[in-house]
């Protein structure tokens, strides 16, 4: 599998995963807790896989984009552990919060690489998309912190849902940017 394909396919999986997680985080009237849980779990698995593929598509290049993808995949994996294993003393919730902070950090680290990218096509999409993903993940993490204090805090839940959708929008923009960037690199004969 070529590096350009891995990066685009990884972005597609991440985008599908963020949208799936956002749907699972949204309190729809007819959605059961089990369906919501499964959407959030599957969404994070897709995001972790997508970020891992994107990192692998970077090849041997040690860049901020690579580090950002790895940190995001680690954050998604941390969220998955928090969702699957029920610990005492709210440790599972704290893992989910930490995973969201890691995803935010990975987004911000990865987007800084875009300012130095040699291919301008898609750069603005990647910068705005990475920024929105980082903001969205930060909002989700803050929501979790507030819910640790008060589980029934409606405003905190709304903050998390809003953050999920902001992350999803950012992911879509990043996907568009990644497709544009990889297309230009293929046209220029740049092999990562």
């Amino acid at each position: 599998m070529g590096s350009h394909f891995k990066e685009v396919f990884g972005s597609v999986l991440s985008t599908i995963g963020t949208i799936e997680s956002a749907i699972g985080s949204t309190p729809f009237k007819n959605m059961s807790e089990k369906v919501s849980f499964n959407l959030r779990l599957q969404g994070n698995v897709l995001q972790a896989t997508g970020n891992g593929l994107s990192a692998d598509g970077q090849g041997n290049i040690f860049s901020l984009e690579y580090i950002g993808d790895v940190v995001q995949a680690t954050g998604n994996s941390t969220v998955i552990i928090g969702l699957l294993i029920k610990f005492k003393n709210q440790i599972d919730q704290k893992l989910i919060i930490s995973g969201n902070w890691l995803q935010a950090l990975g987004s911000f680290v990865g987007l800084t690489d875009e300012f130095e990218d040699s291919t301008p096509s898609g750069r603005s999409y990647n910068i705005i998309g990475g920024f929105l993903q980082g903001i969205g993940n930060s909002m989700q993490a803050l929501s979790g912190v507030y819910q640790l204090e008060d589980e029934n805090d409606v405003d905190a839940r709304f903050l998390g849902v809003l953050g999920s959708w902001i992350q999803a929008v950012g992911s879509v923009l990043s996907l568009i940017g990644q497709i544009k960037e990889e297309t230009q690199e293929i046209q220029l004969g740049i092999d990562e």
Side-chain angles (χ1 to χ4, degrees):
M1 187 182 307
S3 63
H4 298 291
F5 179 77
K6 281 183 186 177
E7 288 191 68
V8 171
F9 188 61
S11 291
V12 168
L13 290 179
S14 291
T15 300
I16 292 169
T18 56
I19 293 168
E20 192 170 352
S21 291
I23 292 168
S25 297
T26 305
F28 291 110
K29 191 175 186 178
N30 296 325
M31 185 175 6
S32 71
E33 184 58 37
K34 182 177 180 180
V35 170
S36 171
F37 172 83
N38 286 333
L39 286 168
R40 288 180 286 131
L41 177 63
Q42 290 169 185
N44 275 282
V45 168
L46 285 171
Q47 289 174 69
T49 304
N51 287 320
L53 270 175
S54 293
D56 190 47
Q58 302 289 321
N60 294 326
I61 298 173
F62 193 72
S63 66
L64 290 174
E65 186 176 359
Y66 172 83
I67 294 168
D69 287 337
V70 170
V71 171
Q72 285 185 68
T74 303
N76 288 114
S77 299
T78 305
V79 170
I80 292 165
I81 292 168
L83 288 170
L84 288 176
I85 302 174
K86 297 300 173 198
F87 294 98
K88 294 180 182 178
N89 301 325
Q90 298 177 316
I91 292 176
D92 48 348
Q93 183 63 24
K94 291 175 184 176
L95 282 168
I96 293 170
I97 293 166
S98 297
N100 282 318
W101 283 127
L102 284 169
Q103 289 178 67
L105 176 63
S107 293
F108 291 133
V109 168
L111 84 84
T112 59
D113 190 71
E114 293 301 325
F115 292 103
E116 302 296 323
D117 200 319
S118 62
T119 50
S121 185
R123 181 181 295 149
S124 59
Y125 286 99
N126 284 329
I127 291 171
I128 295 168
F131 182 72
L132 288 175
Q133 288 179 73
I135 294 295
N137 279 121
S138 297
M139 291 171 69
Q140 290 173 68
L142 283 174
S143 168
V145 170
Y146 296 145
Q147 287 182 53
L148 280 178
E149 296 170 8
D150 179 5
E151 195 174 293
N152 298 315
D153 186 342
V154 176
D155 292 335
R157 287 180 189 232
F158 177 74
L159 182 66
V161 171
L162 183 60
S164 293
W165 285 105
I166 289 172
Q167 180 192 5
V169 169
S171 186
V172 170
L173 290 173
S174 292
L175 171 61
I176 293 167
Q178 196 66 48
I179 291 169
K180 287 177 167 286
E181 178 181 321
E182 298 307 318
T183 301
Q184 183 179 19
E185 288 178 359
I186 290 169
Q187 289 170 347
L188 296 173
I190 298 172
D191 190 31
E192 294 185 301

